[in-house]
Amino acid sequence: MADIPISRRGLLALGGGTAVAAFVAACSPENAAAPRLSSSAPSAAAVPGGAVTFTPAQGTTGFDPLGPVMVTATAGTLAEVTMTNDQGRVIAGIMTPDGLTWKPDTPLGYDRTYQLAATSRDEQGRENQFTSTFSTVTPDNLTAASLVSTGGGALSEGATYGVGIVAVIRFDEPIPDRAAAQRCLSVQTEPAVEGQWSWVDDQNVHYRPREYYPPGTAVTVRADIYGVDVGNGLYGQEDLARSFVIGDSHVSIADDNTKQIEVYDNGQLVRTMPTSMGRGGTETVNGRTIHFWTQRGTYTVLDKANPVIMDSSTYGLPVNSRLGYRQTISYATRISNDGIYLHQLESSIPQQGNTNVSAGCLNLNPDNAQWFYNFSIPGDIVEVRNTGGEPLAQWQNGDWSIPWETWVQGSAL
């Protein structure tokens, strides 16, 4: 196991022990071994050649790999300090200019034993050697975190997203202690934007602002989970950080009363597109009821493809059944996890603007479909109004359909 995690929060700076100690207290397991000075440290007056103390103390086990490690001269100065792990690797460190303190300059690894060998020197040039050994915590298991959208696609460093983008931290193991994990999650925005984490289940926690992000907002999402027990001996495998920016405000309103989609760019109406939405009704296949509504609610753009294969069997309707289909569709912009798209469909052009005939998607003519495809980015808002059936559910991509008062109740803190 490597001593250096792939990503790492700021290292303990010389003279900066206060800030780091505060961090460790805020985001470390309660039962992690606390740093302590050796009670057997030699007396400064009794030992020619100087004296040192070690933090953590000799023989400490289960030490937090983010905890402060240091060698301190209590008499004289430090002439040399060498730190090695149980594989013989030398851990680089930094000595203060006055020769009184030494610290490693990298975080430690899990399940490692470290030896510190220090040489101190007094004013007469006499030297003394001291050693100390300690070991770090051994996790029962590790969990990795990824940053994705509500559609499952990775959120990329430096990318531009729409004003409604929802950040999802997805853990690859169920989290026993959601509060411990959430304390290590953060979202920084410039300008400041009110927002909150909300857990969907034991592996997925979503973050959205109270209102849509202002265009131009800079967003940084962090999961500083390395070294943290998130319950029952499950520790974070490595830290995660991504920064992205918010683009122009793209809000589209699809109204079933008018069968039109109005597209707004930064508040200005830039296009009106006739559409044909879900025809409604249900079909029962093999005991499963399938509906054909375009559910009302606030969606976001998830991704897009040109072309995309649309196959009714993916949601339980056999292709060879009465209402089944398998088609190659051009300029398809996806807005739900169960396959709702805004897409090109020439065969429904006579119905677009007056009659709903689709299985749930929003049909457009070729010119409008291509324009919307090129206009849209993940996180753009699509509001569907006045349709029948059940409202959009969260799992379908309905985070923005949840009232804020309900959303914040999903926080573990």
Side-chain angles (χ1 to χ4, degrees):
M1 188 175 295
D3 293 299
I4 305 174
I6 292 176
S7 64
R8 189 64 262 149
R9 66 205 71 166
L11 298 175
L12 182 68
L14 296 177
T18 300
V20 173
F23 174 84
V24 172
C27 203
S28 296
E30 292 182 0
N31 61 354
R36 54 190 182 274
L37 300 180
S38 172
S39 59
S40 60
S43 166
V47 182
V52 303
T53 58
F54 294 99
T55 304
Q58 160 65 24
T60 295
T61 60
F63 186 69
D64 181 350
L66 297 179
V69 176
M70 66 184 71
V71 182
T72 304
T74 57
T77 58
L78 296 171
E80 183 180 9
V81 177
T82 302
M83 183 177 184
T84 55
N85 68 12
D86 46 17
Q87 294 185 333
R89 177 173 174 266
V90 176
I91 309 302
I94 303 172
M95 185 87 74
T96 54
D98 58 12
L100 296 179
T101 305
W102 180 96
K103 300 175 184 179
D105 68 355
T106 183
L108 308 183
Y110 291 125
D111 191 23
R112 289 290 188 208
T113 297
Y114 294 91
Q115 183 176 64
L116 285 158
T119 301
S120 65
R121 181 181 297 130
D122 65 16
E123 293 180 354
Q124 288 73 43
R126 295 174 296 182
E127 294 185 346
N128 241 333
Q129 282 76 43
F130 304 89
T131 60
S132 181
T133 302
F134 69 95
S135 60
T136 55
V137 67
T138 300
D140 292 334
N141 196 7
L142 295 175
T143 183
S146 56
L147 180 63
V148 298
S149 73
T150 48
L155 296 185
S156 302
E157 178 71 21
T160 300
Y161 296 106
V163 297
I165 193 68
V166 175
V168 178
I169 294 290
R170 178 170 294 168
F171 295 96
D172 65 358
E173 298 283 346
I175 303 300
D177 189 342
R178 295 183 184 183
Q182 190 175 326
R183 289 187 190 100
C184 299
L185 307 180
S186 65
V187 177
Q188 296 176 316
T189 61
E190 178 57 45
V193 177
E194 181 184 2
Q196 182 60 270
W197 293 99
S198 189
W199 290 82
V200 175
D201 53 39
D202 286 344
Q203 291 183 245
N204 295 276
V205 56
H206 294 201
Y207 182 93
R208 52 157 270 213
R210 183 169 188 164
E211 307 292 343
Y212 301 148
Y213 285 107
T217 301
V219 182
T220 298
V221 182
R222 300 186 62 90
D224 289 327
I225 59 172
Y226 180 76
V228 179
D229 185 347
V230 293
N232 300 340
L234 178 67
Y235 279 74
Q237 181 170 313
E238 61 189 29
D239 290 345
L240 171 71
R242 295 285 186 277
S243 295
F244 52 86
V245 296
I246 303 301
D248 292 334
S249 174
H250 295 167
V251 176
S252 300
I253 299 173
D255 192 335
D256 196 23
N257 288 341
T258 63
K259 307 295 188 293
Q260 304 287 325
I261 303 172
E262 295 181 337
V263 184
Y264 293 85
D265 185 0
N266 292 320
Q268 298 297 312
L269 179 64
V270 293
R271 201 170 186 97
T272 300
M273 307 183 298
T275 188
S276 178
M277 292 189 273
R279 60 183 174 271
T282 61
E283 182 86 357
T284 300
V285 180
N286 298 324
R288 179 183 177 186
T289 299
I290 301 168
H291 75 82
F292 301 101
W293 299 102
T294 305
Q295 290 166 269
R296 62 190 180 278
T298 301
Y299 302 69
T300 58
V301 170
L302 299 178
D303 51 43
K304 51 190 178 180
N306 181 39
V308 65
I309 304 297
M310 294 193 176
D311 187 334
S312 63
S313 66
T314 60
Y315 60 87
L317 186 63
V319 172
N320 59 0
S321 66
R322 181 176 66 90
L323 298 174
Y325 56 86
R326 180 179 171 86
Q327 296 175 283
T328 299
I329 300 296
S330 299
Y331 296 107
T333 302
R334 186 167 71 103
I335 62 171
S336 87
N337 289 316
D338 55 345
I340 302 301
Y341 290 78
L342 286 83
H343 66 77
Q344 174 178 318
L345 193 67
E346 294 93 327
S347 63
S348 71
I349 289 177
Q351 289 78 35
Q352 291 170 22
N354 59 79
T355 309
N356 290 331
V357 296
S358 86
C361 290
L362 294 88
N363 296 170
L364 301 170
N365 67 36
D367 182 51
N368 285 330
Q370 183 173 353
W371 179 89
F372 189 79
Y373 181 94
N374 292 329
F375 176 78
S376 298
I377 60 174
D380 285 352
I381 298 295
V382 179
E383 295 181 25
V384 175
R385 299 177 177 176
N386 299 315
T387 58
E390 295 297 320
L392 181 68
Q394 184 176 19
W395 72 267
Q396 295 169 300
N397 188 28
D399 281 1
W400 282 104
S401 293
I402 298 174
W404 182 249
E405 294 73 17
T406 304
W407 180 267
V408 297
Q409 293 174 13
S411 171
L413 299 178

